[in-house]
Amino acid sequence: MNAKEIRELFPILKQEVNGHPLVYLDSAATSQKPVQVIEAVDRYYREYNSNVHRGVHTLGTLATDGYEGAREKVRAFINARAMEEIVFTRGTTTGLNLVAWSYARSVLKEGDEVVITQVEHHSNLIPWQQAAKAIGATLKYIPLQPDGTITLEAAEQTITPKTKLVAMGYVSNVLGTVNPVKEVADIVHRNGGVMVVDAAQAAPHIRVDVQDLDCDFLAFSGHKMAGPTGIGVLYGKQSLLESMEPIEFGGEMIDFVELYDSTWKELPWKFEGGTPIIAGAIGLGAAIDFIESIGLDAIREHELKLVKYTMEQMRAIEGMTIYGPEERSGLVTFNIEGVHPHDLATVLDTEGIAIRAGHHCAQPLMKFLKASATARASFYLYNTEEDVDTFVKALLKTKEYFGNVFS
Ligand code: 7TS
């Protein structure tokens, strides 16, 4: 299937916005959903909506099978050893917070080190800031190269036997950098720590294999990979998850409850207190089937071609700054001299083009880039070269407009 055929499977992309065919270049914020995912969620609500893990009635069994079937799809998708290692969460943010609240706060001690980078999304930065403060641990940053990349030498120098936890994004949501998380995990393990991977921008675009990476925890969101909002995954090595306490208590996650004490269900359910995100999980399962039917290699190849095509054209525009290294995932973050990114995004919107402008939830990285804000175009499997052409044409028009107004 080519990108145009794939695009046909996304109903939202068929509309006009502000009188122009929609060009959606904001998939790093959230991706659009194919008809297969929309229908899977719709079918659940129309045909077998019911709570899970309790009823003996037919709909309850169907809902439980759908929910747990989705867990197995996630397990296979990231090549985890066992379904016990797959915890459904609300998204990447919730997954990382679960590790910070449960694992970090119980295992780390005063004087231990937590290591992250200045590239991180706030969701993979603030939970560690807060945990380090609460514990009295030291938060350390791996120094960046001028283009925002991380070298293994810098990682080796920063990570020490005092480092009990390293958290790193697999793919940057601003620079598109694909970080060497497997190699960093090896450094972390040699020093006796655990490796946490933020795979929010990786899982939709590249093959994530938790056994190959040998990471200890890995979090991602369904909504960035063609699935519904409100569902995400925390992978954790079974022995670590077993040693951890839940952070949410109530229904669904208990085994026995007595007046003054209670016991928890086994993995993964002890971390899934309350009625779970049933429709979301079923939708995520359908999204995984969809992605696998296209193939992650094909998705990656398509995005690399698009991003190369885009950057070639953008570089020809005078006053253009493109942030990040040449080698990257399917996104371009940039600034055009004389045009504020918010103005740019607003003008592009009048032409039906959706891009993101701002700090992209990465204020420390903006500081490193010496930019208060940037614009970002991000691609997914449904974007075409025509989308890029429309986008570049609109960039030129906007630049010319602002040049004339302010000169
Ligand atoms: N980590 C990274 C690398 C991200 O890009 C995002 C969301 C998150 C974590 C948080 O994911 P959530 O699903 O829990 O919100 N990134 C973006 C973005 O780049 N634009 O909008 C959201």
Side-chain angles (χ1 to χ4, degrees), residues 37-235:
V37 169
I38 297 167
E39 280 174 359
V41 174
D42 185 71
R43 210 160 36 243
Y44 163 70
Y45 283 126
R46 283 178 191 275
E47 296 174 13
Y48 61 103
N49 173 57
S50 203
N51 216 323
V52 293
H53 302 146
R54 29 167 83 69
V56 284
H57 60 72
T58 304
L59 296 193
T61 307
L62 286 172
T64 304
D65 289 351
Y67 182 69
E68 293 303 330
R71 196 188 310 274
E72 170 53 27
K73 286 179 188 183
V74 171
R75 186 207 62 73
F77 185 64
I78 61 169
N79 193 30
R81 282 183 193 84
M83 70 90 182
E84 284 83 355
E85 300 181 319
I86 307 298
V87 178
F88 280 128
T89 65
R90 200 165 58 73
T92 309
T93 305
T94 323
L96 295 169
N97 271 282
L98 174 51
V99 181
W101 279 95
S102 174
Y103 180 82
R105 279 172 173 75
S106 63
V107 172
L108 271 60
K109 308 260 175 315
E110 201 174 332
D112 285 346
E113 293 171 357
V114 175
V115 170
I116 59 173
T117 82
Q118 204 173 335
V119 183
E120 303 312 316
H121 185 282
H122 295 162
S123 294
N124 195 33
L125 193 152
I126 308 168
W128 312 119
Q129 251 180 14
Q130 292 298 309
K133 269 190 210 165
I135 299 156
T138 308
L139 187 62
K140 280 171 59 179
Y141 287 82
I142 299 175
L144 302 178
Q145 296 297 105
D147 65 356
T149 53
I150 298 147
T151 63
L152 292 179
E153 293 71 40
E156 286 275 11
Q157 278 163 16
T158 315
I159 299 163
T160 73
K162 278 178 143 182
T163 307
K164 292 294 177 298
L165 187 146
V166 175
M168 186 179 279
Y170 200 161
V171 174
S172 159
N173 68 317
V174 176
L175 304 175
T177 335
V178 183
N179 283 319
V181 289
K182 178 178 170 165
E183 291 74 12
V184 175
D186 182 47
I187 299 172
V188 179
H189 292 150
R190 276 195 271 116
N191 283 282
V194 298
M195 177 75 180
V196 183
V197 178
D198 169 358
Q201 299 291 349
H205 307 282
I206 59 177
R207 175 64 65 194
V208 171
D209 181 329
V210 291
Q211 291 192 58
D212 180 51
L213 295 177
D214 196 25
C215 54
D216 299 285
F217 297 100
L218 180 139
F220 58 97
S221 304
H223 70 94
K224 292 189 201 284
M225 48 180 285
T229 51
I231 184 77
V233 174
L234 175 69
Y235 158 83

